[in-house]
Amino acid sequence: MSGTVSLLGLDFGSTTCSAMVASATMVRNCVTGRMELSRLTEEVRSVPVFTPLREGRIDEAAVAALLDGWLAGGGLEGKAIFGGGALITGLAAQRENAAALASLLRARLGDAILVATGDANLESWMAFLGSAARLSRRHPEVEILNLDMGGGTTNLALGIDGDVRRTGCLFVGARHVQVEPGTYRIVSLSRYARALLDHLGMARGPGDELSPGDVDVVLSFYVALLEAAVTGHAEAFTTDAARLHLHTDIALEPPAPHVPRIVTLSGGVGALVYDKLRGAPWPSTTLFGDLGIDLAQRILSSDVLARDLSAWIPDHFGRATVFGMMRHSMDISGATVFLSSPDVLPLRDLPILGRLGSDADAGRVDTLLRLVRESQAGGCLRIEGAGPSLAALRRLGALLGDVLRAHPLRPEQTLVLFVAENVGKTLGHYVSDWGKSPLKLVVIDEVAVKDARFAQIGRMKGHVVPVWYYGQE
């Protein structure tokens, strides 16, 4: 299979939502022989709009209307979408009907995209890859710490030479305190903001006006947490209020003396900072109905956070999280996928349960297959070292088949095997005893499985299948 394919990226954040349409060419790499996407090109990027809310819930009807417009504007109406992703992040992911939004997107777009809700480490990883990865590869001698700052969270990712080494997330963002645009009169507070105001001894609530001193104290708390995360000072997170704002721990140590740590930004607040650095005026007071502009201003006044921003500019000036998701969360299988039946795909939310070497013994095989049996829908195993020896491949396949016949999976369960080498059909035939077993089995070959907890596998398109990984470890 080759040719141009269409990709779609959607981002539903605490403050705004947007869409991106891209094209890519599917080719076989002349060096590795693997199928891959090349020449990924952004075709259309929508103007960000406020994430539609109604009575504190995501307005699903309004989202459906936005989706119609985005598909039409991107030329995707009636056109097959090969792949992509949708991120539901920050405070949007904590809305009561966030799962309903995910269901709406899946129902409308089918299995063409991965829908990830509230996966903070995935968001951190994607923001780095979409924004800072190329900068990191150009300067492998430094650590780059990317802060993806939106309305509800700041997602942190530390990378060296383009590879993400650490991820984490703080509940620090622009929209925990919502105000009337043009004023500092409170409209609503997130539960994190309520706890923070209590911690600070500030009896403020909806209808109250924040004084300049109030705003300064709130922003000082946020900036102190960001600076502590950047410098690796864990003691800043010992108070109850600070721990509440720690979503996932980045576990950073202070930077080594011989390896500079460079800070870059992405996300809505990051975009405001870079716009200012390029000479744009600040938007008017609380234009977006939150503290995002004020937070951007405070970041620029921080010696720790702002030190590198003028000299180290990420791709797209930080507006690239969805681009990173489209490009890096999806892999393409080789052309020798094994399917026990054509209708076994698609598969969603299957856990990746462990690694199995080609020299594994019966005890190891039994242990991992027991985990698969205990998972409601089945699970995935990573097969390693399966390529060099046909005898080893035959032995492992027969061993898997023997254990599965002795302890079969339930009819609703599927076993997925990921293997890096071009041996998918061969291994599948050995495991299934050349199709005689009733086992629901999928063997995906020529993929490099990332350190993730879950996989989603789309329908076969041509002779390949798209694979997504999420729940980054």
Side-chain angles (χ1 to χ4, degrees), residues 64-140:
L66 283 172
L67 187 57
D68 288 339
W70 289 334
L71 292 175
L76 294 181
E77 274 189 319
K79 189 175 181 179
I81 300 171
F82 180 79
L87 286 172
I88 305 172
T89 65
L91 299 181
Q94 296 190 5
R95 299 288 178 179
E96 180 184 346
N97 62 332
L101 172 58
S103 297
L104 182 156
L105 297 174
R106 290 185 179 121
R108 180 64 187 277
L109 301 170
D111 300 290
I113 68 171
L114 167 69
V115 181
T117 304
D119 190 335
N121 288 328
L122 175 67
E123 296 159 25
S124 301
W125 186 62
M126 290 302 169
F128 184 93
L129 293 178
S131 184
R134 285 206 302 179
L135 184 65
S136 177
R137 285 192 293 270
R138 290 199 299 269
H139 301 278

Side-chain angles (χ1 to χ4, degrees), residues 222 237 388:
Y222 287 160
F237 294 94

